[in-house]
Amino acid sequence: MPLDRDSKTPLYLQLYQLLKDSYLPKSGNQQQLLSIRRMAQTMNVSKTTVEQAYDQLLAEGYVYTVPGSGYFFKALKAWPTASPKTPAIPVPTPPKPVTYDFRYGATQLLKPSWNAWKKAVRDALRQAEANPVSYPDAQGLPALRQRLTTFLRTTRGVRCQPDQIVITNGAKEGLALLLSILPAGTLGIENPGYRGLPALASAAGKATVALPVTTQGVSLTAIKAAQPQFVYTTPAHQFPLGYVLPIAQRLELLQWAAAESRLIIEDDYDSEYRYHTQPLPALQSVAMADQVAYLGTFAKGIDPTLRMGYLVLPVHLVAAYHRQYQYRSAMVAGLLQQAMVAYFDSGAYYRHIGRSRSLNRRKYQRLTQLLATTDRIQPIATGAGLQLVIRIPGIAQKALLAALTAADIRIYPLDSNWQAMPSHDYYLLGFTAVSLADLEVAIPRLIAVCDQLGQ
């Protein structure tokens, strides 16, 4: 049994492994190991090395000792054998990288905002060093929830108390948490809409029903016909089409929910980004009954990798949350939450939203100006959001995507977001991660590809 003295693995661990591998299960309970002295002589190692190997086998329960007699292997029924060859793990093939990627959900890093965030993190580290704390509250730091009540009231009109807020690691996890505490029932979802929602609902034991979207937002006629117990909606800027639910329809939806004891789940994911008017008040702000759960995120405001969002529970669901999650840990590290408090207190978050909105307004305006130079591409321009839906009729999707990849561009079909899609020529352009300079190159190139394929 040779030992590799050039290996980085300590000799006692090599010996430990060799001894395990040498055991013969069929020989029974009396297979004895050499004495420490004889094993040291045989392997040309120190007795300390042998003692360490034997102690490891003893600690893990592979051997036992008989005073005065030595060490013996235990007769274990399921003695470990050599591990079979690990099967290959299937890994999805990532798409070919492109220079001009109109992926939704990414944002352009703004240096002043990022520097302010780094300062907030340093402030949080100093505070943690000066005042060490135990695990943060499962709902989130009270200070952060207090800041959020002020922020949401002043910017979105949302009325809530800190005890209604749960800090989550993103809007998706907030939605999963909410669905898990709701009673049995059917969830109405916008169509087209968030493509991961049916799977999320299914994991929480909820069936889903698709609710068509009109130019006035989610169809109230469809809601009243389907009578779901819960309705998920993006009223400020419908995802992905971008339509707004007008005030008359909002009030009608809330009236239906109150009369039928239904819950509205309002996802306000990119409400800050309106480019021709001020951001619209949240649906929750005009609710007269305790009937709206509100979801938001900081990811679109600072950086998607931050993975921090929030859920505002209706008062009647707070007790259900505590019953189910009384022993859970906080979803977001306390340090990051404290950094967010510092980011609020310095005014940096408010400045970042203004800075980001201004830049994205210019991108949106330039994007729509460039698209207006062609009849091949039909944008659904609603003056808001982090993405734009376009329609490119008359060109096969597969051919278009292949040609665009060759042109170093990627846009995203809406097929997976849209049940019974009317045609396969709707695409999503997430423009906020693309610089203004790159828009000037990518959009004319996109138009040129469409012109070539459309001839």
Side-chain angles (χ1 to χ4, degrees):
M1 296 187 292
L3 299 179
D4 184 357
R5 298 177 186 275
D6 295 324
S7 171
K8 293 182 180 180
T9 303
L11 290 175
Y12 85 92
L13 286 180
Q14 292 185 50
L15 178 58
Y16 151 84
Q17 189 63 50
L18 285 171
L19 290 170
K20 277 206 307 179
D21 293 344
S22 68
Y23 175 64
L24 301 175
K26 293 182 179 180
S27 65
N29 200 37
Q30 296 299 314
Q31 187 176 340
Q32 187 173 8
L33 284 76
L34 295 177
S35 69
I36 291 176
R37 181 179 61 80
R38 286 194 59 193
M39 181 64 75
Q41 292 173 344
T42 301
M43 303 302 298
N44 192 26
V45 294
S46 69
K47 289 194 292 182
T48 299
T49 297
V50 178
E51 286 174 349
Q52 288 177 313
Y54 282 14
D55 285 347
Q56 187 66 33
L57 291 168
L58 188 65
E60 294 183 21
Y62 289 113
V63 302
Y64 65 96
T65 59
V66 175
S69 299
Y71 292 83
F72 297 83
F73 279 112
K74 288 185 177 180
L76 300 175
K77 294 180 179 179
W79 189 270
T81 57
S83 299
K85 185 178 179 181
T86 303
I89 299 175
V91 178
T93 303
K96 175 187 174 183
V98 295
T99 302
Y100 308 106
D101 192 340
F102 288 89
R103 179 168 59 92
Y104 168 74
T107 54
Q108 187 175 347
L109 188 65
L110 302 180
K111 190 172 181 181
S113 299
W114 191 245
N115 288 340
W117 174 249
K118 289 191 290 185
K119 181 180 182 303
V121 173
R122 289 194 294 271
D123 290 344
L125 284 167
R126 282 192 291 269
Q127 182 165 333
E129 186 176 25
N131 302 293
V133 295
S134 58
Y135 293 108
D137 189 305
Q139 277 187 252
L141 290 183
L144 179 55
R145 289 186 279 128
Q146 183 63 58
R147 302 308 190 276
L148 262 175
T149 60
T150 302
F151 172 75
L152 293 174
R153 184 180 66 253
T154 57
T155 63
R156 308 295 301 121
V158 171
R159 297 164 296 171
C160 66
Q161 304 169 47
D163 287 344
Q164 291 175 252
I165 297 176
V166 181
I167 304 300
T168 67
N169 58 349
K172 179 180 177 181
E173 294 306 316
L175 179 57
L177 183 152
L178 174 63
L179 291 173
S180 73
I181 65 174
L182 292 177
T186 299
L187 174 68
I189 59 176
E190 295 173 332
N191 182 42
Y194 170 42
R195 64 183 175 183
L197 194 46
L200 208 61
S202 177
K206 308 292 188 295
T208 58
V209 58
L211 305 171
V213 172
T214 72
T215 56
Q216 301 290 297
V218 63
S219 169
L220 296 181
T221 302
I223 290 174
K224 293 175 181 179
Q227 288 291 312
Q229 282 70 39
F230 324 106
V231 173
Y232 170 92
T233 182
T234 50
H237 181 241
Q238 198 279 327
F239 180 83
L241 297 180
Y243 299 125
V244 172
L245 191 66
I247 185 62
Q249 280 79 356
R250 290 178 179 223
L251 294 176
E252 188 178 347
L253 175 61
L254 291 170
Q255 185 180 32
W256 167 83
E260 302 290 339
S261 299
R262 306 301 202 229
L263 178 72
I264 308 300
I265 302 171
E266 178 181 11
D267 192 338
D268 212 26
Y269 71 103
D270 68 352
S271 58
E272 302 96 338
Y273 297 100
R274 295 202 66 80
Y275 305 127
H276 302 320
T277 63
Q278 288 297 309
L280 306 176
L283 179 67
Q284 197 261 18
S285 70
V286 292
M288 292 296 104
D290 188 39
Q291 63 204 117
V292 179
Y294 180 88
L295 289 162
T297 177
F298 296 120
K300 303 296 186 293
I302 303 173
D303 183 78
T305 60
L306 181 60
R307 305 311 307 155
M308 193 188 304
Y310 44 90
L311 165 65
V312 179
L313 290 165
V315 173
H316 74 272
L317 286 178
V318 173
Y321 164 79
H322 285 295
R323 280 196 302 272
Q324 185 154 334
Y325 291 106
Q326 58 181 316
Y327 300 117
R328 79 170 299 155
S329 300
M331 298 178 75
V332 179
L335 178 66
L336 285 179
Q337 293 188 54
Q338 187 58 54
M340 196 67 217
V341 172
Y343 204 58
F344 266 120
D345 288 348
S346 69
Y349 187 63
Y350 294 90
R351 290 192 294 273
H352 169 73
I353 291 298
R355 188 181 295 123
S356 181
R357 185 188 296 124
S358 178
L359 174 59
N360 289 330
R361 178 187 294 113
R362 284 182 283 153
K363 291 180 181 180
Y364 178 86
Q365 290 171 343
R366 188 57 185 147
L367 174 60
T368 53
Q369 288 169 358
L370 291 167
L371 291 174
T373 64
T374 179
D375 294 329
R376 297 273 184 201
I377 302 175
Q378 302 166 5
I380 300 177
T382 59
L386 304 175
Q387 82 285 337
L388 185 70
V389 171
I390 60 174
R391 187 182 178 209
I392 307 177
I395 301 175
Q397 185 182 104
K398 185 175 181 180
L400 175 62
L401 295 178
L404 287 176
T405 300
D408 215 14
I409 298 172
R410 179 164 293 118
I411 64 176
Y412 292 84
L414 279 180
D415 300 59
S416 58
N417 299 81
W418 204 330
Q419 298 180 38
M421 193 175 184
S423 60
H424 297 281
D425 47 22
Y426 288 88
Y427 301 88
L428 190 69
L429 268 66
F431 58 85
T432 52
V434 182
S435 68
L436 279 164
D438 284 348
L439 281 177
E440 298 288 351
V441 177
I443 299 305
R445 193 178 294 185
L446 168 63
I447 293 171
V449 170
C450 292
D451 286 341
Q452 182 180 9
L453 292 176
Q455 290 177 355

